[in-house]
Amino acid sequence: AYPQARLQRTEYRMSESWLHPAALKGNGILTIKPRPRYAAHHPLVIDLHGVFDRMTAKELKRRIKAYLEGNRDHLAINFSGVTSTEQGALLSFLKRLKRNKQRIKIISIDSFGSDMADVVNYAKTYFEVFMDVEGLTASLA
């Protein structure tokens, strides 16, 4: 006896200007896990877990570039969960991000050890490098 309202389904796609959880496939799998931001002035911290190779580096660079173009926020990349890296992939990745060095911070790149000393030195030369996420948040307090 009463007219029923029609239900409408609205689908929302996630913008490429946001870094959302994802699994990037290359020779292995690299997962991206963003952390919730503690405050508006804190950078978005993304944790990387898995294999960092040229294919995953290319896709990650594309996503970071889209994020930085779509937002004014800063970004912190945490490498503590990276289990293995392809020779030259990490250095090439950092060189391509050098244009945005004021907005990008690097976390736990020292965990790669002495076999990647040139990459660690390059990162420390151009980017602000932190030992861990707690060190980053303490510096922003």
Side-chain angles (χ1 to χ4, degrees), residues 12-28:
Y12 298 96
R13 293 171 41 142
M14 291 196 75
S15 170
E16 286 196 15
S17 64
W18 294 98
L19 284 169
H20 49 84
L24 308 178
K25 294 181 183 174
N27 292 334

Side-chain angles (χ1 to χ4, degrees), residues 75-89:
L75 180 70
I77 306 169
N78 185 0
F79 287 95
S80 64
V82 174
T83 56
S84 66
T85 60
E86 185 178 310
Q87 185 68 27

Side-chain angles (χ1 to χ4, degrees), residues 97-132:
L97 292 180
K98 188 171 77 169
R99 284 184 49 207
N100 297 307
K101 64 184 177 185
Q102 295 82 11
R103 295 179 59 198
I104 297 175
K105 298 175 185 349
I106 306 294
I107 303 170
S108 297
I109 201 157
D110 293 330
S111 64
F112 288 118
S114 61
D115 57 331
M116 305 220 24
D118 57 336
V119 176
V120 173
N121 290 333
Y122 182 86
K124 288 181 178 181
T125 302
Y126 291 104
F127 298 95
E128 195 172 355
V129 177
F130 295 91
M131 294 298 290
D132 54 14

Side-chain angles (χ1 to χ4, degrees), residues 6 11 16 22 26 28 71 78 80-81 90-92 94 125 140:
R6 286 192 157 175
E11 292 183 16
E16 286 196 15
N71 298 292
N78 185 0
S80 64
L90 185 57
L91 183 60
S92 175
L94 293 173
T125 302
L140 297 171

